[in-house]
Amino acid sequence: MATISINHDACIRCKKCVRICPSVLFQLDKNHQITVDSESCISCGHCVAVCPTSAITHSDFPENHIHAFSRNQLPTPEQVDLLIRSRRSNRAFSSREIPMEDLQQIIEAGHRAPTATNAQGVKMVLVTAPEVMAEISRITIQEFNNAADWLMTPLLKPLLKRIMPDNYHYVPVFRRLRDELRRGNDGILRNAKAVLFFYTDSKSRFGCQDSNLAYQNASLMAESLGIAQFYTGFVCSASELDHRNKFQKLLGIKGTIHAGMAMGMPSFLFERYIDRKDLDLKIIASQK
């Protein structure tokens, strides 16, 4: 269990810790001193990060884990907006290798993402071995075509087509991916130089949400570094069909894969961004 102490000589009773703590551990007592009960602490670090006088000592955050910064160093809203607008899924990879220091920055960005109850249960596996990526694509296409075979079973097709008509739109896509792979064209990972998967223990309550928050962080970092990347939706969907855990065995992991990104150095970069469809937004505001 974490331990938290307050240096009352340094504390200025600003009550920022009281207001920011998600577990409501801090209180202002009748003597106008801040008190803390750390029993239910989730070690989010908000209290340490917000205290203007460094009056809070937390056992999970020694001094070398706390870093001051100037908000003037942050990108402007306009810069962040442009990064978001310009980010695209780029599958046009060149033959150049991705610098390892860039991959490490991308991984660190994913690791910095928020998680439910600060569980920090997201794990990652980075694959750069071409033979392993080729096997990932092969298993993905195999799982899809096994599903397509089931959908096309003569006895089941009339019933299934009424129950799940949208699934039949993908059957020709799966067949085309299979045929292209036989010709040596990988339509899954598109000759990526690296793929990063985000996974959690299978019993993780918010594993999917946490992993996709981590992916989004990593994706934006990749964009800022000029690295082409796309979401591995086909692989993630195939892993849900993979009841024999072939992906996990191949990658040497235990758990559920929730998100992933294939990466490579771009053959070219986009120089324009395009507006999206009009947002379907509903606003519920007070009538006062």
Side-chain angles (χ1 to χ4, degrees):
M1 184 180 73
T3 58
I4 306 172
S5 61
I6 300 172
N7 181 342
H8 293 292
D9 292 331
C11 178
I12 60 173
R13 284 75 168 172
C14 65
K15 296 193 292 185
K16 289 181 179 179
C17 56
V18 176
R19 298 178 64 186
I20 204 67
C21 178
S23 300
V24 198
L25 305 180
F26 295 82
Q27 302 289 336
L28 185 67
D29 69 14
K30 61 182 180 181
N31 296 318
H32 300 285
Q33 284 195 330
I34 301 294
T35 62
V36 59
D37 178 3
S38 59
E39 184 175 354
S40 301
C41 180
I42 62 173
S43 295
C44 65
H46 286 349
C47 58
V48 176
V50 80
C51 183
T53 61
S54 301
I56 297 173
T57 300
H58 195 299
S59 61
D60 286 343
F61 304 103
E63 189 174 347
N64 64 330
H65 285 207
I66 304 168
H67 310 279
F69 69 95
S70 169
R71 300 201 71 82
N72 292 330
Q73 296 173 290
L74 299 179
T76 65
E78 292 77 15
Q79 289 170 329
V80 175
D81 181 64
L82 183 57
L83 176 64
I84 293 170
R85 288 173 183 265
S86 62
R87 182 225 168 275
R88 298 193 71 81
S89 298
N90 187 349
R91 295 171 174 81
F93 299 135
S94 72
S95 60
R96 290 176 292 149
E97 298 294 330
I98 305 171
M100 182 51 68
E101 55 268 28
D102 289 353
L103 290 173
Q104 289 170 341
Q105 273 194 275
I106 291 167
I107 291 168
E108 179 63 20
H111 182 56
R112 291 279 180 178
T115 55
T117 68
N118 195 42
Q120 298 185 43
V122 176
K123 305 172 186 179
M124 300 180 220
V125 54
L126 175 68
V127 183
T128 59
E131 65 276 13
V132 176
M133 287 189 280
E135 185 65 4
I136 290 170
S137 295
R138 188 195 68 78
I139 295 173
T140 298
I141 291 174
Q142 180 185 59
E143 289 296 328
F144 283 146
N145 278 279
N146 288 344
D149 291 343
W150 179 71
L151 289 171
M152 298 303 289
T153 302
L155 290 176
L156 296 176
K157 185 177 178 180
L159 174 62
L160 295 177
K161 205 161 187 177
R162 288 198 298 270
I163 297 173
M164 49 182 70
D166 290 345
N167 289 20
Y168 283 84
H169 298 158
Y170 290 99
V171 171
V173 176
F174 299 156
R175 301 307 195 203
R176 186 167 62 252
L177 287 169
R178 177 196 61 192
D179 295 342
E180 285 298 315
L181 189 65
R182 289 172 178 171
R183 298 187 186 101
N185 301 318
D186 180 4
I188 301 298
L189 295 182
R190 306 296 186 96
N191 301 311
K193 289 295 183 180
V195 60
L196 181 64
F197 290 113
F198 304 83
Y199 69 102
T200 65
D201 293 337
S202 297
K203 295 181 180 180
S204 175
R205 173 66 180 83
F206 298 101
C208 180
Q209 294 88 339
D210 290 346
S211 294
N212 279 280
L213 285 170
Y215 157 77
Q216 188 64 16
N217 263 26
S219 172
L220 290 173
M221 177 58 76
E223 188 71 23
S224 73
L225 291 166
I227 294 174
Q229 47 81 34
F230 64 87
Y231 190 84
T232 58
F234 273 151
V235 181
C236 295
S237 295
S239 71
E240 294 177 4
L241 301 172
D242 173 25
H243 301 301
R244 296 183 180 180
N245 294 325
K246 292 191 287 289
F247 287 109
Q248 285 81 355
K249 292 174 183 176
L250 175 65
L251 298 173
I253 63 174
K254 292 183 178 180
T256 302
I257 298 171
H258 299 289
M261 56 190 294
M263 296 175 281
M265 299 305 293
S267 295
F268 47 81
L269 294 171
F270 294 93
E271 297 182 359
R272 297 177 179 83
Y273 68 79
I274 298 171
D275 290 338
R276 300 184 67 81
K277 296 178 181 178
D278 290 343
L279 174 63
D280 185 353
L281 172 67
K282 181 178 181 179
I283 298 176
I284 302 175
S286 172
Q287 299 301 310
K288 296 181 181 179

